[in-house]
Amino acid sequence: MNKRPKVSSNTIKRLLSYIFHYKLRFFFVLVCILVSALTSVASSLYLQTLIDSYITPLLLEANPVFDALLKSIITMACIYAVGIICTFLYNRIMVSIAQGVLKEIRDTMFSHMQTLPIRYFDTHTHGDIMSHYTNDTDTLRQMISQSIPQMFSSLITVISVFCAMLSVNVWLTLVIVICITFILNITKFVAGRSSTYFIHQQASIGDVNGYIEEMINGQKVIKVFCHEEAAEKVFDEKNAGLCKDSTAANMFANILMPIMNNLGHLQYVLVAIIGGALALNGVSGLTLGAIASFLQLTKSFNGPISQISQQLNAVIMALAGADRIFKLMDEVSEEDDGEVTLVNVRYKNGELEEVDRRTELWAWKVPNGDGSFRYEELKGEVRFYDVDFGYTEEKIVLHNITLYAEPGQKVAFVGATGAGKTTITNLINRFYDIADGKIRYDGININKIKKADLRRSLGIVLQDVNLFTGTVMENIRYGNLNATDEECIAAAKLANADSFIRRLPQGYDTVLSGDGSGLSQGQRQLISIARAAVADPPVMILDEATSSIDTRTEAIVQKGMDRLMLGRTVFVIAHRLSTVQNSDVIMVLEQGNIIERGPHDDLIAQKGKYYQLYTGAFELE
Amino acid sequence: MIKHLMKSIREYKKDSFLAPIFVTGEVIFEVIIPFLMSKLIDSGIDAGNMNYILRTGAILVVCALVSLSLGFFSGRSAAIASSGFAKNLRRDMYYNVQNFSFANIDKFSTASIVTRLTTDVTNVQNAYQMIIRTAVRSPIMMIAAMVMAFKVAGPLAFVFLACIPILGIGLYFIMTRTHPIFERVFKTYDKLNNVVQENLHGIRVVKSFVREDHEIKKFKDISQDIYNDFSHAEKNLAFNMPLMQICVYGSMLFISWFGARMIVASGNDAAVGLSTGELMSLFVYLMQILMSLMMLSMVFVMITMSKASAERIVEILDETSDITSPEQPVMAISDGSIDFENVSFSYSKNPDKLCLKNIHLHIASGETVGIIGGTGSGKSSLVQLIPRLYDATIGNVRVGGTDVRDYDLEVLRDNVAMVLQKNVLFSGTIRENLRWGNAEATDEELIHACQLAQADDFIRTFPDGYDTYIEQGGSNVSGGQKQRLCIARALLKKPKILIMDDSTSAVDTKTDALIQRAFLTEIPETTKIIIAQRISSVEHADKIIIMDDGEINAIGNHEELLASNPIYQEVYASQVKGGNDHE
């Protein structure tokens, strides 16, 4: 390892800033810790008082009266009681603070993640991202609820003992300071090593998490291919890597305490010898008694220091986790500088008027730049002018795409696999931004439309169906959170999903889990269509929405969708030409270029590529 | 439960034993060193004996160095043992998951398996390390301190013993109250993982429906649950420290009062009762006991927390696959013929909820068979019985004349290649993904398989060709490309039976036709079963099976069915309509 990853001091600052959100409580906690720590200092001082002020005088009395002693013990009992209460309070409050911080960090992280561009999700394994929410966030728990209070408490003890030392002898204290500096340097080295490995460990956990997630997700494929052994082999490698990092990190963390402890012992011996020598030679007016008590102090000085070092481990590990968390939080969000928003409108005296409830009319609310707005009715006209696009800069997948979808048209994209059909729709909803050219939506540059509003105006049924854990009803309602049960059922009927849903064990209340694993692929597609139908959007994109549905059912679904989208713009992508032939215009794509366009009949008459595809479907030989 | 976990220690037994031994040595020195230190003060400093100081100092230095190395070795052993134990646990769980049948996989969610393999294992690892280090050190330390205390102060030391039941009862209550909460917390962790996972997989859905806020709310509800549960549990644990302090401070006051009286009564004579010096050392032992109690209580917290995790781990370890190879498996498959004899099937093994009913079917080796049927008619369920992804609930399925349950699973599945409907590519290069079919495949074989699956052409258009990196889930290739790669991957197995479960749904008709033709000419001896929606995908099949509501509606070739079967006619009409108009 040539390069040692380091936790920046920035990480610590940021982490603390989360704790400071609980300023008042945290301050109260510090006060409680202070009291609690002072109580324990007081208790170690009490012994001396007990002997010097009570026992020794009492020994001299013929008839000892214990009233004064009793009083002092009761006083101490009161002090202890206060200390115990403080301990209890700070422990409890710290729990709320720690859990509050963890919650806030998780929530912030998730909220931020929602703003990240699709590209981010394409390039990071899901399991590794998931690890941030559990393994990395967990490292913070112990640090905040235990390490910080203990370190602070130990620090107070160290300071008070240090003051006591100074009052006994300045020179010997100097020896201590020198020793401590030396010890701290060693600590820094060991802690640094362990920090490096903890960072590796967290990264390895993320890696293992990522691998497990991906493999378990594809477990059925693994089984089908009898690929278990190979999957185990890679897992073993990653697992061994994690084990190596974890062993190293823990080893350095474990040996920190014995090192501190025993260096403390050596320091003790050193002070004893120096002090003894000084006292015996009568230098600097040290008495033997003073040395004795100084040595006692040295002992109580080392205790908290090694406690601090013990807690350092938790802190180091937490910082390694925090580092990864902040890295996720620092990922750049999707760019969205659009100002045009989507609103529901109605006509009043020939003018468009914004309304809160749902109407069948939408309009773009365009700012005029002087604080006023104008409304442009949403018609569903989408135009591409000379659009170039590539997922990576080196490889352009769409070339010079110019296309126009007139309002209310049904526009179909056909073409061979990989011709760029899905890519075009990914550009309309701005999952990706174009490299060159322009896209206009009702005459508005789509970059000027707020992304959320742009996407809200487009209902999309994607090629890959993703369902969420929850009832069938909830999954349909995902399209429109305000939809009533009746509306959801109506949408399901439109998608021809109603009959099979009713046959499920609990009908619409059947809980789907594992991405709807109990359903067939076609059934999942029907639910996904119902989900889009309930959204009832002004413009719809159907990307291979019916590919796993048998053609009979498809015909029914299509009729329903046509009725729903009457007068609205619809984009359809399909391989099955029967799906697209009633479209107003069909675009034939080949390797990122539109090579033919026109309605079905015209294209057939042209006898070009489309004709070939179409006839090829039924005349193979 | 613990026994089951312990099995995973294996090669780390040595270190697991060494760590406590080293720790014990360390503790011994930790008791000796303070003893020497007080000697140093009493007989050295107080007596002004420089020689004694130097001599004892030297002994102390040696002791410290020995203790340091013991500490080093114990720390090292503990780290090796606990990390290794965790590694073995993860390994054992993962390996067992690899043995899971489809039914087992359906039972656990991916998110839950992931949490169990990481978060839960980490908890157990930390607890294990604590147990072999701290849980050994603290009791020894405590016992040593107690013995010393009894030696010094006799009856006065009984106060320590009085603390034990108080602590024991207190800790028992804390533990019984927190354990169920921790069990709940980890279930909530599963949910958290699940929400994040579904969000990641469905991020395109989330973004296109602009449901970010909805997702955030969903997430926040769960993180609120975690907050509540964890706070609740840890607030109970917060009684721990004050409880310790009550015991310790209480003992201190007790000793102060009675100790003082004993000293005064005895006239500060150790021989008769108690001396001030003894009182001082009693306090030192008290502090030592306090420290070990604190440590023990930390261990105890760890154990409480990890107990819930341990149970979850054992659940995975204990899960046994319901589909395994028989004792004396048949290791070879004679040919690619398939027979279904009176087969009924239910995913829940419930005879009232059958997805397949009374299936009788014979497919000869080398035949091409198409399966057509409505959504949810049982097409996928039917073919999944052939490579024994599930077992038939009633009746039996035979491949090559032998019941599938008599074959070695690996042999069976190597010969029955299945392209799943919901297929997955894994992150890695195209070449690596293809090699899943056959790890030893040569480049020529890879290319040939891709040519058959009509994937070679598009792969070559990628700048990196066969070394193009596929992102997780194949997000950087189109749906149709993904399907063709999956087909090529299956072809590389050179199977006797090839099952394609709607595997060309995203492939255009022309390419589909090319794939079909390639199959016909290039792998004629392989039995091919093709589930499809398009008539064109199956019309040249030797026989076509029409599935309807879990039953075989009809079997025949294209012409026969077109002539006689109403379902087939309807499907055909829905696809050809319009087409015929123009011809």
Side-chain angles (χ1 to χ4, degrees):
Chain A
M1 210 165 311
N2 324 332
K3 215 176 122 207
R4 292 213 339 227
K6 266 211 132 94
V7 170
S8 64
S9 64
N10 212 11
T11 308
I12 304 173
K13 246 189 253 161
R14 267 175 92 169
L15 201 52
L16 285 177
S17 77
Y18 279 95
I19 298 174
F20 288 146
H21 289 183
Y22 300 84
K23 249 187 225 114
L24 263 181
R25 268 189 270 180
F26 189 61
F27 179 72
F28 186 67
V29 163
L30 290 185
V31 172
C32 285
I33 296 176
L34 185 72
V35 174
S36 165
L38 289 179
T39 313
S40 75
V41 174
S43 99
S44 59
L45 294 179
Y46 180 64
L47 180 62
Q48 206 58 44
T49 324
L50 182 73
I51 293 173
D52 294 349
S53 318
Y54 298 96
I55 297 180
T56 315
L58 279 172
L59 276 171
L60 302 174
E61 283 173 34
N63 291 315
V65 182
F66 290 96
D67 290 1
L69 175 63
L70 185 65
K71 241 195 201 158
S72 97
I73 284 185
I74 290 171
T75 318
M76 275 317 284
C78 294
I79 293 175
Y80 286 155
V82 172
I84 290 170
I85 291 171
C86 283
T87 309
F88 178 65
L89 283 179
Y90 87 69
N91 269 302
R92 272 191 89 115
I93 298 172
M94 218 47 210
V95 168
S96 315
I97 296 181
Q99 289 300 326
V101 168
L102 293 195
K103 179 174 157 39
E104 198 186 334
I105 284 181
R106 279 199 182 102
D107 289 352
T108 316
M109 193 157 55
F110 190 81
S111 304
H112 181 73
M113 191 176 86
Q114 297 307 302
T115 69
L116 296 180
I118 292 290
R119 223 177 267 275
Y120 178 82
F121 301 94
D122 288 347
T123 51
H124 290 75
T125 60
H126 299 154
D128 188 33
I129 302 178
M130 284 158 71
S131 187
H132 288 85
Y133 294 91
T134 49
N135 302 316
D136 291 327
T137 314
D138 269 346
T139 60
L140 302 180
R141 193 180 62 230
Q142 200 195 348
M143 166 189 169
I144 300 171
S145 66
Q146 285 175 17
S147 308
I148 291 185
Q150 273 207 25
M151 287 176 85
F152 183 68
S153 158
S154 304
L155 192 69
I156 292 170
T157 320
V158 167
I159 292 171
S160 32
V161 172
F162 190 74
C163 293
M165 281 178 163
L166 271 179
S167 74
V168 174
N169 189 287
V170 180
W171 293 109
L172 281 181
T173 313
L174 196 67
V175 175
I176 296 280
V177 171
I178 294 168
C179 289
I180 287 291
T181 323
F182 175 68
I183 293 177
L184 284 183
N185 268 314
I186 291 180
T187 314
K188 209 174 141 194
F189 172 75
V190 177
R193 291 308 295 263
S194 113
S195 159
T196 309
Y197 287 112
F198 272 122
I199 289 176
H200 285 304
Q201 177 188 279
Q202 289 312 109
S204 300
I205 289 184
D207 188 31
V208 169
N209 217 28
Y211 186 74
I212 296 171
E213 199 269 344
E214 185 171 1
M215 287 302 131
I216 306 283
N217 224 7
Q219 195 63 38
K220 293 193 173 177
V221 178
I222 294 181
K223 304 252 38 144
V224 168
F225 279 92
C226 296
H227 206 258
E228 292 92 339
E229 271 164 37
E232 283 165 0
K233 211 180 120 221
V234 180
F235 174 81
D236 280 345
E237 277 165 27
K238 292 190 188 284
N239 196 19
L242 170 57
C243 177
K244 195 175 132 249
D245 291 333
S246 165
T247 307
N250 278 303
M251 186 180 97
F252 280 107
N254 285 347
I255 63 173
L256 196 53
M257 175 99 148
I259 290 179
M260 297 289 284
N261 259 338
N262 288 300
L263 287 179
H265 296 152
L266 293 181
Q267 172 188 317
Y268 182 92
V269 175
L270 192 68
V271 171
I273 293 171
I274 293 176
L278 288 177
L280 291 178
N281 296 321
V283 189
S284 77
L286 258 178
T287 63
L288 289 171
I291 294 175
S293 49
F294 194 88
L295 280 174
Q296 283 298 342
L297 286 173
T298 315
K299 242 168 146 180
S300 16
F301 189 68
N302 290 333
I305 291 224
S306 68
Q307 262 187 25
I308 291 179
S309 68
Q310 179 75 352
Q311 293 304 327
L312 263 183
N313 298 327
V315 175
I316 291 165
M317 188 155 117
L319 290 179
D323 213 37
R324 272 167 54 87
I325 289 173
F326 292 138
K327 214 173 270 162
L328 174 60
M329 286 190 188
D330 288 341
E331 288 287 336
V332 184
S333 301
E334 264 188 285
E335 256 179 67
D336 187 10
D337 31 21
E339 290 176 327
V340 178
T341 53
L342 182 72
V343 291
N344 270 118
V345 289
R346 66 172 176 199
Y347 272 105
K348 199 180 173 191
N349 309 326
E351 293 277 309
L352 287 172
E353 188 194 50
E354 189 176 340
V355 285
D356 293 337
R357 65 196 160 72
R358 187 176 168 104
T359 57
E360 290 303 298
L361 271 184
W362 291 267
W364 298 112
K365 187 176 180 181
V366 187
N368 290 327
D370 56 359
S372 65
F373 295 94
R374 68 195 147 82
Y375 295 96
E376 302 241 6
E377 193 183 331
L378 188 153
K379 299 196 189 72
E381 180 200 67
V382 178
R383 285 172 186 271
F384 278 51
Y385 298 98
D386 294 324
V387 170
D388 287 346
F389 172 75
Y391 289 99
T392 54
E393 276 179 28
E394 309 91 63
K395 197 174 169 244
I396 297 295
V397 293
L398 288 181
H399 309 273
N400 273 320
I401 296 291
T402 296
L403 66 86
Y404 26 90
E406 300 294 340
Q409 268 188 335
K410 185 166 172 185
V411 180
F413 296 106
V414 296
T417 312
K421 303 180 298 287
T422 301
T423 309
I424 290 185
T425 61
N426 276 341
L427 298 180
I428 299 177
N429 63 13
R430 285 191 73 199
F431 275 175
Y432 302 92
D433 280 327
I434 52 176
D436 194 18
K438 51 190 181 179
I439 303 177
R440 296 281 182 272
Y441 191 163
D442 286 335
I444 305 165
N445 181 345
I446 58 162
N447 291 342
K448 291 205 172 125
I449 303 173
K450 257 183 117 162
K451 268 190 178 158
D453 290 276
L454 174 70
R455 288 174 189 164
R456 209 174 288 135
S457 78
L458 302 159
I460 301 187
V461 184
L462 294 165
Q463 213 164 358
D464 288 323
V465 178
N466 282 103
L467 299 176
F468 296 89
T469 302
T471 63
V472 174
M473 187 68 90
E474 283 163 5
N475 267 290
I476 297 176
R477 189 170 289 135
Y478 203 85
N480 174 11
L481 299 179
N482 298 320
T484 60
D485 284 1
E486 289 70 37
E487 285 168 321
C488 292
I489 293 171
K493 281 185 178 150
L494 186 136
N496 204 32
D498 184 67
S499 57
F500 91 79
I501 294 173
R502 284 188 195 279
R503 284 209 304 268
L504 294 174
Q506 272 93 41
Y508 280 88
D509 296 323
T510 309
V511 175
L512 302 179
S513 61
D515 203 4
S517 60
L519 302 176
S520 82
Q521 193 71 7
Q523 290 170 332
R524 296 170 69 242
Q525 282 194 339
L526 293 181
I527 291 184
S528 136
I529 292 170
R531 179 167 70 185
V534 84
D536 195 10
V539 175
M540 180 90 87
I541 299 173
L542 302 168
D543 185 356
E544 291 290 359
T546 51
S547 60
S548 300
I549 300 170
D550 63 288
T551 40
R552 283 193 302 162
T553 312
E554 187 197 21
I556 305 172
V557 176
Q558 214 171 23
K559 222 171 275 165
M561 291 304 272
D562 285 348
R563 216 179 317 124
L564 177 77
M565 298 305 290
L566 191 72
R568 300 189 204 157
T569 311
V570 181
F571 293 94
V572 184
I573 297 174
H575 290 108
R576 218 184 268 166
L577 298 182
S578 59
T579 312
V580 303
Q581 58 180 259
N582 70 344
S583 307
D584 296 304
V585 58
I586 298 169
M587 317 257 174
V588 184
L589 280 151
E590 195 174 72
Q591 293 183 355
N593 297 294
I594 297 181
I595 53 165
E596 284 171 31
R597 67 177 85 208
H600 177 78
D601 296 346
D602 292 5
L603 291 182
I604 291 292
Q606 272 179 32
K607 301 220 166 183
K609 190 87 188 171
Y610 182 79
Y611 177 79
Q612 281 175 10
L613 280 173
Y614 188 75
T615 51
F618 297 105
E619 286 177 9
L620 275 176
E621 308 295 337
Chain B
M1 181 184 89
I2 291 174
K3 245 186 173 172
H4 207 146
L5 286 180
M6 300 256 277
K7 270 192 220 149
S8 300
I9 299 175
R10 291 197 291 274
E11 70 264 38
Y12 298 101
K13 269 202 196 84
K14 189 188 95 191
D15 281 298
S16 299
F17 280 118
L18 280 180
I21 291 172
F22 286 131
V23 168
T24 313
E26 227 190 319
V27 175
I28 292 171
F29 277 97
E30 263 170 56
V31 177
I32 294 175
I33 288 171
F35 178 74
L36 287 175
M37 283 177 169
S38 53
K39 277 273 191 163
L40 187 77
I41 295 186
D42 290 346
S43 319
I45 308 269
D46 285 353
N49 184 342
M50 196 60 203
N51 271 338
Y52 189 88
I53 293 176
L54 286 176
R55 212 171 53 234
T56 318
I59 298 172
L60 265 172
V61 170
V62 174
C63 286
L65 289 178
V66 174
S67 163
L68 179 68
S69 22
L70 284 171
F72 175 83
F73 286 115
S74 76
R76 186 168 161 271
S77 292
I80 293 174
S82 62
S83 305
F85 175 49
K87 183 187 87 177
N88 284 347
L89 265 184
R90 276 191 296 267
R91 182 185 171 279
D92 292 349
M93 288 166 80
Y94 187 78
Y95 275 46
N96 200 36
V97 170
Q98 296 304 315
N99 282 328
F100 278 13
S101 68
F102 272 36
N104 294 127
I105 299 168
D106 294 339
K107 185 173 148 192
F108 291 96
S109 72
T110 312
S112 167
I113 296 181
V114 172
T115 339
R116 286 167 207 241
L117 267 149
T118 53
T119 312
D120 286 325
V121 171
T122 308
N123 283 336
V124 170
Q125 174 184 352
N126 289 340
Y128 188 67
Q129 175 154 308
M130 275 243 171
I131 288 168
I132 57 175
R133 272 185 99 211
T134 323
V136 173
R137 159 195 293 266
S138 303
I140 296 181
M141 193 80 169
M142 195 163 78
I143 290 166
M146 285 230 185
V147 169
M148 296 302 276
F150 271 100
K151 237 173 94 182
V152 169
L156 208 49
F158 272 105
V159 68
F160 295 136
L161 290 183
C163 290
I164 290 172
I166 298 176
L167 277 178
I169 292 168
L171 292 185
Y172 175 77
F173 272 109
I174 294 175
M175 183 133 178
T176 42
R177 289 191 58 166
T178 43
H179 180 64
I181 308 176
F182 277 120
E183 277 184 334
R184 213 164 54 221
V185 167
F186 293 114
K187 278 201 194 110
T188 322
Y189 259 65
D190 286 349
K191 278 197 220 151
L192 179 99
N193 252 337
N194 191 42
V195 165
V196 177
Q197 192 194 23
E198 288 189 346
N199 181 275
L200 291 170
H201 284 282
I203 192 71
R204 285 180 162 78
V205 177
V206 172
K207 283 194 181 272
S208 46
F209 281 105
V210 198
R211 285 288 169 270
E212 286 93 340
D213 290 341
H214 175 73
E215 290 291 306
I216 290 170
K217 190 181 163 290
K218 216 155 70 176
F219 180 87
K220 280 190 174 168
D221 285 348
I222 289 174
S223 80
Q224 183 70 40
D225 282 349
I226 291 186
Y227 171 85
N228 291 344
D229 282 344
F230 244 119
S231 302
H232 191 172
E234 291 211 342
K235 274 183 179 163
N236 276 310
L237 292 177
F239 281 103
N240 201 354
M241 271 283 269
L243 190 68
M244 296 294 156
Q245 287 191 337
I246 287 175
C247 289
V248 168
Y249 287 150
S251 316
M252 267 183 156
L253 292 171
F254 184 89
I255 292 171
S256 300
W257 172 245
F258 288 100
R261 292 191 72 129
M262 277 172 76
I263 292 171
V264 174
S266 68
N268 199 10
D269 185 349
V272 188
L274 198 70
S275 70
T276 43
E278 284 176 333
L279 185 68
M280 281 173 91
S281 33
L282 203 55
F283 267 69
V284 172
Y285 297 131
L286 186 68
M287 287 315 284
Q288 277 184 348
I289 292 173
L290 161 82
M291 287 307 288
S292 22
L293 277 178
M294 282 231 303
M295 286 296 184
L296 265 186
S297 72
M298 265 166 70
V299 175
F300 153 86
V301 170
M302 279 310 263
I303 290 177
T304 315
M305 209 184 276
S306 63
K307 197 176 154 218
S309 290
E311 285 164 3
R312 287 159 50 85
I313 291 173
V314 171
E315 262 177 48
I316 296 261
L317 291 176
D318 276 349
E319 182 80 18
T320 47
S321 173
D322 49 5
I323 294 185
T324 47
S325 296
E327 297 268 327
Q328 275 156 342
V330 180
M331 297 304 286
I333 291 179
S334 56
D335 59 46
S337 67
I338 303 163
D339 289 282
F340 279 72
E341 197 169 305
N342 191 27
V343 170
S344 294
F345 172 68
S346 156
Y347 285 99
S348 51
K349 294 185 181 153
N350 179 353
D352 296 330
K353 282 192 187 142
L354 293 176
C355 317
L356 293 175
K357 285 166 246 168
N358 303 316
I359 304 285
H360 282 278
L361 181 63
H362 172 78
I363 296 171
S365 189
E367 262 188 323
T368 301
V369 177
I371 303 180
I372 290 251
T375 303
S377 60
K379 305 183 293 283
S380 298
S381 307
L382 180 78
V383 296
Q384 285 185 347
L385 301 181
I386 302 169
R388 234 190 134 199
L389 302 180
Y390 295 91
D391 273 337
T393 313
I394 305 168
N396 58 60
V397 179
R398 288 197 301 267
V399 167
T402 307
D403 194 309
V404 287
R405 280 169 287 209
D406 295 336
Y407 284 112
D408 177 74
L409 265 184
E410 204 169 323
V411 169
L412 178 68
R413 288 181 186 159
D414 271 340
N415 283 286
V416 182
M418 179 145 172
V419 186
L420 294 172
Q421 191 174 27
K422 202 179 164 194
N423 225 318
V424 186
L425 291 175
F426 295 87
S427 40
T429 64
I430 289 182
R431 198 186 299 275
E432 282 163 10
N433 266 288
L434 291 172
R435 286 244 162 91
W436 275 60
N438 175 8
E440 276 97 45
T442 61
D443 280 357
E444 290 71 41
E445 283 172 309
L446 286 184
I447 293 168
H448 182 65
C450 286
Q451 280 165 347
L452 288 187
Q454 310 302 319
D456 185 56
D457 289 345
F458 80 79
I459 296 174
R460 285 183 193 281
T461 65
F462 293 149
D464 297 328
Y466 281 83
D467 292 317
T468 304
Y469 193 83
I470 304 284
E471 303 289 354
Q472 179 172 5
S475 63
N476 56 343
V477 286
S478 80
Q481 291 173 337
K482 202 157 86 181
Q483 287 187 335
R484 285 188 272 172
L485 287 172
C486 291
I487 295 171
R489 182 171 67 179
L491 283 175
L492 275 164
K493 281 170 81 168
K494 301 219 176 92
K496 289 214 164 63
I497 299 172
L498 174 69
I499 302 171
M500 302 215 296
D501 188 355
D502 206 5
S503 314
T504 52
S505 62
V507 175
D508 59 276
T509 330
K510 193 178 147 204
T511 312
D512 188 24
L514 290 172
I515 296 173
Q516 307 286 350
R517 197 176 324 177
F519 282 180
L520 221 55
T521 53
E522 299 275 348
I523 46 167
E525 69 286 359
T526 302
T527 309
K528 295 160 284 278
I529 301 181
I530 298 158
I531 297 183
Q533 310 296 348
R534 276 193 289 242
I535 294 276
S536 62
S537 304
V538 298
E539 65 179 330
H540 298 281
D542 298 314
K543 62 171 83 140
I544 299 168
I545 300 168
I546 312 281
M547 292 294 294
D548 188 38
D549 204 21
E551 287 175 283
I552 294 180
N553 179 280
I555 301 180
N557 64 27
H558 178 68
E559 285 73 28
E560 289 163 15
L561 289 172
L562 204 53
S564 65
N565 187 279
I567 296 181
Y568 195 76
Q569 287 161 350
E570 212 181 310
V571 174
Y572 184 77
S574 70
Q575 297 181 17
V576 197
K577 197 178 61 189
N580 285 346
D581 294 347
H582 293 277
E583 278 162 9

